[in-house]
Amino acid sequence: MKLLKLTYLLIALVFFSCKNEPYEEIPTQAAGEYQNVPLSFEVPSNFPPLQYDIENNPPTETGFELGRRLFYEGRMASDNIVACGFCHIQEFAFTHHTHIVSHGVDGALGSRNAQPLQNLAFQNEFNWDGAAIHLDMQPIIPITNEVEMNESFTSIIAKLQAHPDYPRLFREAFENGEINSENILKALSQFMVMMVSSNSKYDKFRRNEGNVTLTANELQGMELFNQKCASCHAGELFTDQTYRNNGLAIDPQYNDIGRERVTGFPEDRYKFKVPNLRNVEVTFPYMHDGRFANLEAVLEHYRSGIQDTENVDESLRQTDGTLGIPMTDEEKARIIDFLKTLTDTDFIFDQRFSEF
Amino acid sequence: MKKIVYLFSLSLSILVLSCNSDADVIETSTVEITFDNRISANQNLTLGTTVYVNQNNESVVTNELKYIISNIQLTQDNGTIFEYPKADSYFVINEADLSSLTLNLDGIPVGNYTHISFGIGVDQSEYPLDGMLNFIPTAEEAQMIWNWAAGYIFIKFEGTFTPQGGTESPFVIHVGSHGQNLDNYKFVTLPLANTMNVNAGTTASVMVEAYIERIIDATNQIKLEDTNNIQVDPVNAPRIATNLESMFSAQ
């Protein structure tokens, strides 16, 4: 018996002795060892193609789980409290809505409204102004920004190394097992890439699933939305991913210049990313600074509130030169009926994404 | 027991035989690259002290000078290019930190080298590959990363300038890439003034001189009185990035 064991050991030795490393441990699947169990990621049939280069960071069970832990981990912030999940709350499609603009460590006030986190793997740029061009890099901003988590990677790495669970979780999730900035960011991305919202009533209707139909009001709202809104809130993601000025009055408190901050081009002043509208029923307050409390106010803005500020989108100007999208009260109500079909309760109550 | 010993020696011999890859291992050695930041070929730089006059007749004092070097490559006289492992090839050169000015590169194949190449900044078109995410802590400590945008600052050049007959004012130049449409990463190849012989057992060295007057006076001239704050600047940041291509010379 002993002999047999020894033989196996020797055979294994021969196998592993030809790697470049001086030696290599014989892998076991015990806790604390790298586990490569891939999670399946399917592009919903009514969605555009993926933008995230998933081959470079394929989500695995252990990578996703580590990402989930990190997302809800207060130690990622300087006060050990303000986790990603503090501002991105699942029931609100990962937005924050007790505050208009986000609150960070020590109650520091940001100047922008937290965006929903959903279908990020289909997006090419991130934040209201596109300040991140890759999902893996986006968390650098909230982590290091003094009004958000105000932390440094060096300090996070030290805190995670000293933690009873994280060294094991990193070994299970990554082949090199290291607690480093790349693995932290990759684990967060694996978690966020899996956050796909594609099971709203609207999606089921589009995919002809289980005889789901829209009511007459909702159908009429969809028709109106396609005429009046879909030029910007385009396609199945409800955004063409461009930056535009939809005519919000400039708030002198922040004077947020939007996209210009990233590009420096004056023609980008006051332009913001066209937001996706999935789960919009629960992502209030609305706009980059959370100025509108409800959808009625948003629709009224498009009808009567559009201001002629620098770079306002020309498509919002009617042929007679006045700004606004003409709508009757009735039409406004129908569009809101339609927007509510984008709510995906499967997503906002999906256990996989919740803290506990 | 005998059986075990037999089995052991058998396997040992297999072990030895199966590992003949040693035969074609290339001999390697160490190269030391030292950055000498100067005003010009014949003027030294001391932070906070040295005054030089730029082409717009402005007297310039440098208080801070840092830049990122990446993707180092060395070219042999036979044309072979050795690429230093990308993941280990990101460095902050900080004039205020002596230890940052010398880079020690291990595992350089022996041979005669005639050129050195490197990137100035980080090649964002490769995000997030090549270990560039593991450069974050270093960049963070050197404050060479933004916290409102996800990206590295390629060069920081700060100080004061005094136009002729004018008063002294500060200037700030921070250049990096922004978004997808402003890529200020540059890659330069410099001939070595003397061939560098890399031999086993000794450390070869290269001296790279950086002439900082060229940051604002090279292909493009920048008058600090007109623009003393170049950060997210779609016009001037690319002009500076172009100037950086002619800032270095290798000895």
Side-chain angles (χ1 to χ4, degrees):
Chain A
M1 203 51 208
K2 240 189 185 160
L3 192 69
L4 205 66
K5 247 195 192 154
L6 194 68
T7 320
Y8 280 141
L9 185 79
L10 288 168
I11 291 172
L13 255 171
V14 171
F15 255 89
F16 285 102
S17 59
C18 292
K19 294 266 173 81
N20 291 331
E21 284 84 359
Y23 70 90
E24 191 139 332
E25 278 169 23
I26 300 158
T28 68
Q29 283 291 308
E33 297 292 343
Y34 175 54
Q35 290 166 32
N36 187 5
V37 184
L39 292 176
S40 80
F41 183 94
E42 271 165 45
V43 177
S45 62
N46 56 326
F47 270 39
L50 259 186
Q51 292 292 316
Y52 189 80
D53 34 0
I54 206 156
E55 259 102 74
N56 285 327
N57 185 25
T60 62
E61 273 180 15
T62 44
F64 174 89
E65 173 57 16
L66 173 60
R68 189 187 67 80
R69 288 280 299 259
L70 293 173
F71 188 84
Y72 291 108
E73 179 55 77
R75 288 174 182 80
M76 301 281 282
S78 62
D79 64 357
N80 292 320
I81 296 169
V82 179
C84 313
F86 180 88
C87 294
H88 296 287
I89 299 168
Q90 186 175 10
E91 298 111 275
F92 312 134
F94 295 97
T95 57
H96 194 180
H97 77 198
T98 45
H99 305 295
I100 294 178
V101 291
S102 64
H103 282 204
V105 296
D106 303 324
L109 280 182
S111 59
R112 290 191 183 157
N113 179 16
Q115 290 168 293
L117 305 184
Q118 54 194 0
N119 304 334
L120 293 167
F122 300 90
Q123 255 177 238
N124 53 19
E125 293 178 338
F126 303 89
N127 287 20
W128 283 106
D129 53 9
I133 61 165
H134 198 289
L135 184 59
D136 293 1
M137 304 203 64
Q138 195 285 337
I140 296 171
I141 303 173
I143 288 173
T144 59
N145 201 296
E146 56 283 309
V147 298
E148 294 182 84
M149 299 161 84
N150 189 30
E151 191 42 296
S152 73
F153 276 84
T154 309
S155 155
I156 291 173
I157 291 166
K159 285 193 256 180
L160 298 181
Q161 268 161 350
H163 189 275
D165 299 342
Y166 282 108
R168 173 177 59 82
L169 293 171
F170 276 83
R171 284 199 302 274
E172 287 172 358
F174 294 102
E175 206 162 0
N176 65 18
E178 286 169 26
I179 301 186
N180 60 28
S181 40
E182 175 168 310
N183 288 344
I184 290 170
L185 293 166
K186 283 187 157 173
L188 283 171
S189 281
Q190 289 189 25
F191 178 63
M192 292 193 287
V193 158
M194 296 303 292
M195 288 181 174
V196 176
S197 173
S198 63
N199 277 325
S200 64
K201 185 177 181 186
Y202 166 81
D203 289 293
K204 290 177 185 160
F205 165 76
R206 290 282 292 183
R207 294 193 299 255
N208 276 318
E209 269 169 32
N211 293 323
V212 173
T213 51
L214 300 189
T215 65
N217 280 351
E218 289 162 351
L219 280 171
Q220 202 195 332
M222 182 166 85
E223 196 56 39
L224 291 163
F225 182 89
N226 285 336
Q227 285 163 24
K228 297 176 189 293
C229 319
S231 57
C232 300
H233 298 285
E236 296 299 274
L237 300 177
F238 295 88
T239 168
D240 62 358
Q241 305 206 34
T242 59
Y243 302 86
R244 298 174 189 248
N245 176 353
N246 70 343
L248 298 173
I250 286 132
D251 180 342
Q253 190 189 346
Y254 300 120
N255 189 29
D256 192 333
I257 57 174
R259 178 71 174 153
E260 186 191 7
R261 187 167 72 151
V262 172
T263 64
F265 294 121
E267 58 268 32
D268 284 335
R269 186 166 308 157
Y270 303 133
K271 291 185 182 172
F272 293 84
K273 179 73 150 294
V274 175
N276 78 78
L277 298 181
R278 287 178 169 276
N279 294 303
V280 71
E281 184 182 3
V282 299
T283 63
F284 58 89
Y286 302 109
M287 304 298 164
H288 69 268
D289 54 5
R291 67 177 65 195
F292 298 131
N294 51 51
L295 289 171
E296 284 74 21
V298 171
L299 271 291
E300 194 49 44
H301 161 75
Y302 282 112
R303 180 163 73 176
S304 64
I306 294 181
Q307 305 292 306
D308 201 352
T309 58
E310 226 176 315
N311 302 316
V312 70
D313 204 275
E314 281 307 314
S315 70
L316 296 169
R317 208 181 290 280
Q318 298 164 50
T319 37
D320 67 359
T322 52
L323 282 164
I325 301 179
M327 285 177 276
T328 64
D329 288 349
E330 173 73 17
E331 287 174 327
K332 277 179 13 185
R334 294 299 79 80
I335 290 178
I336 292 173
D337 290 338
F338 168 67
L339 290 177
K340 290 182 176 169
T341 69
L342 301 177
T343 306
D344 175 1
T345 47
D346 286 2
F347 175 70
I348 52 192
F349 297 113
D350 192 329
Q351 267 304 311
R352 292 177 301 161
F353 306 129
S354 73
E355 181 167 8
F356 303 107
Chain B
M1 196 58 207
K2 244 193 188 152
K3 237 184 185 169
I4 298 179
V5 174
Y6 171 72
L7 201 67
F8 224 123
S9 38
L10 182 78
S11 321
L12 265 178
S13 54
I14 298 175
L15 254 176
V16 172
L17 285 170
S18 62
C19 286
N20 60 356
S21 61
D22 285 11
D24 44 67
V25 158
I26 306 164
E27 257 192 302
T28 62
S29 191
T30 310
V31 169
E32 184 187 271
I33 304 175
T34 304
F35 282 81
D36 181 11
N37 297 314
R38 319 173 55 80
I39 303 296
S40 61
N42 40 33
Q43 191 180 3
N44 260 319
L45 165 70
T46 307
L47 289 182
T49 310
T50 315
V51 185
Y52 81 91
V53 178
N54 71 13
Q55 296 193 25
N56 282 300
N57 263 320
E58 297 164 316
S59 303
V60 181
V61 176
T62 311
N63 292 328
E64 180 163 0
L65 176 75
K66 294 174 185 167
Y67 49 89
I68 290 174
I69 294 297
S70 64
N71 297 332
I72 297 176
Q73 295 179 4
L74 294 164
T75 309
Q76 291 187 5
D77 52 4
N78 63 9
T80 315
I81 296 177
F82 173 73
E83 193 179 277
Y84 195 67
K86 278 193 168 160
D88 302 324
S89 201
Y90 299 98
F91 304 93
V92 174
I93 307 295
N94 176 2
E95 178 61 10
D97 173 7
L98 194 65
S99 68
S100 78
L101 302 180
T102 301
L103 317 178
N104 282 295
L105 309 186
D106 290 330
I108 311 296
V110 298
N112 301 323
Y113 289 85
T114 56
H115 290 80
I116 180 171
S117 314
F118 51 81
I120 309 161
V122 174
D123 185 2
Q124 73 164 17
S125 67
E126 301 292 324
Y127 280 156
L129 297 178
D130 303 330
M132 72 180 63
L133 295 177
N134 281 330
F135 182 53
I136 294 171
T138 312
E140 218 172 43
E141 253 155 71
Q143 295 178 311
M144 292 297 275
I145 189 163
W146 276 291
N147 69 358
W148 58 270
Y152 294 107
I153 301 171
F154 300 171
I155 183 165
K156 270 191 179 178
F157 177 42
E158 295 183 18
T160 60
F161 71 98
T162 314
Q164 244 192 353
T167 50
E168 190 179 26
S169 324
F171 72 90
V172 174
I173 294 176
H174 293 180
V175 174
S177 290
H178 303 281
Q180 311 231 6
N181 37 17
L182 213 62
D183 189 351
N184 288 318
Y185 171 76
K186 298 290 176 193
F187 188 77
V188 294
T189 297
L190 313 172
L192 301 178
N194 304 303
T195 301
M196 171 177 68
N197 306 307
V198 175
N199 299 313
T202 58
T203 298
S205 57
V206 188
M207 173 73 80
V208 176
E209 295 189 342
Y211 306 134
I212 65 157
E213 66 174 6
R214 299 212 179 146
I215 300 173
I216 51 172
D217 280 317
T219 315
N220 302 302
Q221 266 188 34
I222 310 262
K223 190 173 180 184
L224 294 171
E225 200 178 358
D226 297 340
T227 35
N228 64 345
N229 184 347
I230 299 177
Q231 298 197 51
V232 184
D233 184 330
V235 178
N236 289 307
R239 294 175 76 214
I240 301 247
T242 301
N243 284 354
L244 299 182
E245 290 178 302
S246 60
M247 179 165 93
F248 297 98
S249 155
Q251 309 301 312

